[in-house]
mmCIF file of all heavy atoms in Angstrom:
data_model
loop_
_atom_site.group_PDB
_atom_site.id
_atom_site.type_symbol
_atom_site.label_atom_id
_atom_site.label_comp_id
_atom_site.label_asym_id
_atom_site.label_seq_id
_atom_site.Cartn_x
_atom_site.Cartn_y
_atom_site.Cartn_z
ATOM 1 N N LEU Q 154 -29.541 -40.277 36.760
ATOM 2 C CA LEU Q 154 -28.820 -40.712 35.565
ATOM 3 C C LEU Q 154 -28.379 -39.519 34.715
ATOM 4 O O LEU Q 154 -27.267 -39.505 34.192
ATOM 5 C CB LEU Q 154 -29.672 -41.684 34.742
ATOM 6 C CG LEU Q 154 -29.905 -43.056 35.386
ATOM 7 C CD1 LEU Q 154 -30.943 -43.852 34.604
ATOM 8 C CD2 LEU Q 154 -28.599 -43.833 35.519
ATOM 9 N N LYS Q 155 -29.236 -38.508 34.606
ATOM 10 C CA LYS Q 155 -28.880 -37.317 33.822
ATOM 11 C C LYS Q 155 -27.679 -36.613 34.449
ATOM 12 O O LYS Q 155 -26.771 -36.171 33.747
ATOM 13 C CB LYS Q 155 -30.074 -36.367 33.747
ATOM 14 C CG LYS Q 155 -29.800 -35.135 32.928
ATOM 15 C CD LYS Q 155 -31.020 -34.224 32.876
ATOM 16 C CE LYS Q 155 -30.676 -32.933 32.147
ATOM 17 N NZ LYS Q 155 -31.757 -31.968 32.237
ATOM 18 N N SER Q 156 -27.658 -36.521 35.768
ATOM 19 C CA SER Q 156 -26.559 -35.807 36.427
ATOM 20 C C SER Q 156 -25.274 -36.637 36.492
ATOM 21 O O SER Q 156 -24.233 -36.133 36.889
ATOM 22 C CB SER Q 156 -26.972 -35.353 37.823
ATOM 23 O OG SER Q 156 -27.229 -36.466 38.655
ATOM 24 N N HIS Q 157 -25.339 -37.914 36.093
ATOM 25 C CA HIS Q 157 -24.153 -38.779 36.071
ATOM 26 C C HIS Q 157 -23.860 -39.296 34.664
ATOM 27 O O HIS Q 157 -23.329 -40.393 34.505
ATOM 28 C CB HIS Q 157 -24.342 -39.947 37.045
ATOM 29 C CG HIS Q 157 -24.312 -39.530 38.471
ATOM 30 N ND1 HIS Q 157 -25.441 -39.095 39.132
ATOM 31 C CD2 HIS Q 157 -23.305 -39.445 39.356
ATOM 32 C CE1 HIS Q 157 -25.129 -38.770 40.369
ATOM 33 N NE2 HIS Q 157 -23.832 -38.969 40.534
ATOM 34 N N ASP Q 158 -24.225 -38.515 33.655
ATOM 35 C CA ASP Q 158 -23.959 -38.866 32.260
ATOM 36 C C ASP Q 158 -24.471 -40.260 31.890
ATOM 37 O O ASP Q 158 -23.828 -40.980 31.132
ATOM 38 C CB ASP Q 158 -22.466 -38.772 31.945
ATOM 39 C CG ASP Q 158 -21.954 -37.347 32.010
ATOM 40 O OD1 ASP Q 158 -22.722 -36.435 31.632
ATOM 41 O OD2 ASP Q 158 -20.798 -37.144 32.434
ATOM 42 N N GLY Q 159 -25.610 -40.660 32.462
ATOM 43 C CA GLY Q 159 -26.226 -41.931 32.121
ATOM 44 C C GLY Q 159 -25.622 -43.139 32.809
ATOM 45 O O GLY Q 159 -26.028 -44.268 32.556
ATOM 46 N N ARG Q 160 -24.646 -42.912 33.664
ATOM 47 C CA ARG Q 160 -23.986 -44.026 34.362
ATOM 48 C C ARG Q 160 -24.645 -44.273 35.716
ATOM 49 O O ARG Q 160 -25.091 -43.346 36.392
ATOM 50 C CB ARG Q 160 -22.502 -43.736 34.553
ATOM 51 C CG ARG Q 160 -21.739 -43.708 33.240
ATOM 52 C CD ARG Q 160 -20.250 -43.571 33.467
ATOM 53 N NE ARG Q 160 -19.897 -42.355 34.169
ATOM 54 C CZ ARG Q 160 -19.567 -41.210 33.591
ATOM 55 N NH1 ARG Q 160 -19.564 -41.120 32.285
ATOM 56 N NH2 ARG Q 160 -19.234 -40.165 34.309
ATOM 57 N N GLY Q 161 -24.671 -45.504 36.124
ATOM 58 C CA GLY Q 161 -25.242 -45.874 37.412
ATOM 59 C C GLY Q 161 -24.298 -45.573 38.555
ATOM 60 O O GLY Q 161 -23.148 -45.187 38.371
ATOM 61 N N GLY Q 162 -24.796 -45.770 39.759
ATOM 62 C CA GLY Q 162 -23.989 -45.561 40.951
ATOM 63 C C GLY Q 162 -24.847 -45.661 42.196
ATOM 64 O O GLY Q 162 -26.023 -46.012 42.138
ATOM 65 N N ILE Q 163 -24.257 -45.357 43.323
ATOM 66 C CA ILE Q 163 -24.964 -45.433 44.601
ATOM 67 C C ILE Q 163 -25.655 -44.102 44.860
ATOM 68 O O ILE Q 163 -25.016 -43.054 44.875
ATOM 69 C CB ILE Q 163 -24.000 -45.794 45.736
ATOM 70 C CG1 ILE Q 163 -23.431 -47.195 45.474
ATOM 71 C CG2 ILE Q 163 -24.710 -45.728 47.085
ATOM 72 C CD1 ILE Q 163 -22.386 -47.633 46.443
ATOM 73 N N ALA Q 164 -26.974 -44.152 45.081
ATOM 74 C CA ALA Q 164 -27.757 -42.934 45.244
ATOM 75 C C ALA Q 164 -28.281 -42.759 46.659
ATOM 76 O O ALA Q 164 -28.612 -41.658 47.058
ATOM 77 C CB ALA Q 164 -28.923 -42.936 44.259
ATOM 78 N N VAL Q 165 -28.388 -43.830 47.420
ATOM 79 C CA VAL Q 165 -28.938 -43.756 48.767
ATOM 80 C C VAL Q 165 -28.146 -44.687 49.667
ATOM 81 O O VAL Q 165 -27.798 -45.797 49.272
ATOM 82 C CB VAL Q 165 -30.430 -44.184 48.789
ATOM 83 C CG1 VAL Q 165 -30.977 -44.201 50.203
ATOM 84 C CG2 VAL Q 165 -31.267 -43.277 47.914
ATOM 85 N N LEU Q 166 -27.862 -44.235 50.863
ATOM 86 C CA LEU Q 166 -27.243 -45.085 51.873
ATOM 87 C C LEU Q 166 -28.270 -45.347 52.966
ATOM 88 O O LEU Q 166 -29.012 -44.451 53.347
ATOM 89 C CB LEU Q 166 -26.030 -44.390 52.503
ATOM 90 C CG LEU Q 166 -24.889 -44.012 51.578
ATOM 91 C CD1 LEU Q 166 -23.835 -43.211 52.345
ATOM 92 C CD2 LEU Q 166 -24.272 -45.259 50.981
ATOM 93 N N ALA Q 167 -28.308 -46.551 53.489
ATOM 94 C CA ALA Q 167 -29.211 -46.878 54.594
ATOM 95 C C ALA Q 167 -28.392 -47.550 55.683
ATOM 96 O O ALA Q 167 -27.465 -48.310 55.405
ATOM 97 C CB ALA Q 167 -30.329 -47.797 54.119
ATOM 98 N N PHE Q 168 -28.734 -47.254 56.915
ATOM 99 C CA PHE Q 168 -28.007 -47.788 58.058
ATOM 100 C C PHE Q 168 -28.986 -48.422 59.031
ATOM 101 O O PHE Q 168 -30.053 -47.882 59.282
ATOM 102 C CB PHE Q 168 -27.240 -46.673 58.787
ATOM 103 C CG PHE Q 168 -26.292 -45.930 57.906
ATOM 104 C CD1 PHE Q 168 -26.709 -44.811 57.194
ATOM 105 C CD2 PHE Q 168 -24.986 -46.357 57.772
ATOM 106 C CE1 PHE Q 168 -25.836 -44.127 56.371
ATOM 107 C CE2 PHE Q 168 -24.102 -45.674 56.955
ATOM 108 C CZ PHE Q 168 -24.526 -44.561 56.253
ATOM 109 N N ASP Q 169 -28.613 -49.549 59.590
ATOM 110 C CA ASP Q 169 -29.420 -50.213 60.616
ATOM 111 C C ASP Q 169 -28.818 -49.855 61.966
ATOM 112 O O ASP Q 169 -27.797 -50.405 62.363
ATOM 113 C CB ASP Q 169 -29.406 -51.721 60.379
ATOM 114 C CG ASP Q 169 -30.373 -52.461 61.288
ATOM 115 O OD1 ASP Q 169 -31.144 -51.798 62.006
ATOM 116 O OD2 ASP Q 169 -30.353 -53.698 61.272
#
Side-chain angles (χ1 to χ4, degrees):
L154 291 171
K155 182 180 175 188
S156 64
H157 290 87
D158 293 325
R160 293 186 300 267
I163 297 175
V165 176
L166 300 174
F168 303 89
D169 188 7

